Amino acid sequence: MENKEDTISPLSEQPFECEICHKSFEEKNNFNQHIYAVHKQSKPFECDICQKSFGYQNVLKSHKMMVHNRSKPFECEICQKSFGQKGDLHRHINAVHVSNKPLKLTHNLEKK
C-alpha cells in the first residue's frame, strides 16, 4: 500500500504556490482550479438533478452518488452499517465501536 507521503512530490517539483494558503501544485491547471474553487468560491460544476453547485467535478460526482443514487460503498465490518463516505465510516467506528468498549481493569483485585 502506498503512503500518502509517497504520492506527494517534493516542494521543488511543485512550482505553483498559492499566495493565500501556501499550498503547492505541480501543474498550473490544478493551481488555477484551486484558486477559483477554494479562494474565489467559484462553483462551476452544477448537479443536473438538484442544481446544487460544486467547486470540483469529483465532489459533484460524489454528491450525485451519495445523495441521488444513495450509494453507500463503505461498510462497517463490525455491524454492517453502510456509509457514503469513508470519513463517515471512520467517525462511526470511533463513536460507536471504539468509545463504547468496556474499560479494562488494570489493578489486581485479588485479596491478599
Side-chain angles (χ1 to χ4, degrees):
M1 186 170 167
E2 199 174 53
N3 284 339
K4 190 173 186 179
E5 291 84 22
D6 294 340
T7 62
I8 298 173
S9 299
L11 190 59
S12 61
E13 294 179 23
Q14 297 182 347
F16 303 99
E17 182 178 329
C18 176
E19 293 178 3
I20 300 167
C21 69
H22 304 289
K23 185 170 182 175
S24 297
F25 300 87
E26 289 181 32
E27 298 177 11
K28 187 173 184 177
N29 190 33
N30 293 340
F31 166 74
N32 288 334
Q33 186 177 18
H34 163 79
I35 294 294
Y36 285 105
V38 175
H39 301 299
K40 293 185 178 182
Q41 281 143 19
S42 172
K43 297 181 178 182
F45 302 99
E46 184 178 287
C47 177
D48 58 346
I49 300 167
C50 70
Q51 285 66 53
K52 186 171 182 179
S53 295
F54 300 90
Y56 295 97
Q57 190 170 16
N58 63 323
V59 178
L60 168 60
K61 184 178 177 181
S62 294
H63 159 80
K64 289 172 101 173
M65 291 296 291
M66 289 182 303
V67 175
H68 302 299
N69 297 339
R70 302 204 188 272
S71 174
K72 295 183 178 183
F74 302 99
E75 183 177 284
C76 177
E77 293 179 358
I78 300 166
C79 69
Q80 287 68 51
K81 185 170 182 179
S82 295
F83 299 89
Q85 295 183 320
K86 194 174 191 176
D88 293 337
L89 170 61
H90 289 301
R91 276 187 288 284
H92 160 78
I93 291 170
N94 288 330
V96 175
H97 302 298
V98 175
S99 65
N100 287 338
K101 284 185 177 177
L103 296 174
K104 292 182 180 177
L105 295 176
T106 56
H107 299 4
N108 187 350
L109 298 177
E110 291 180 32
K111 291 186 180 179
K112 294 184 180 180

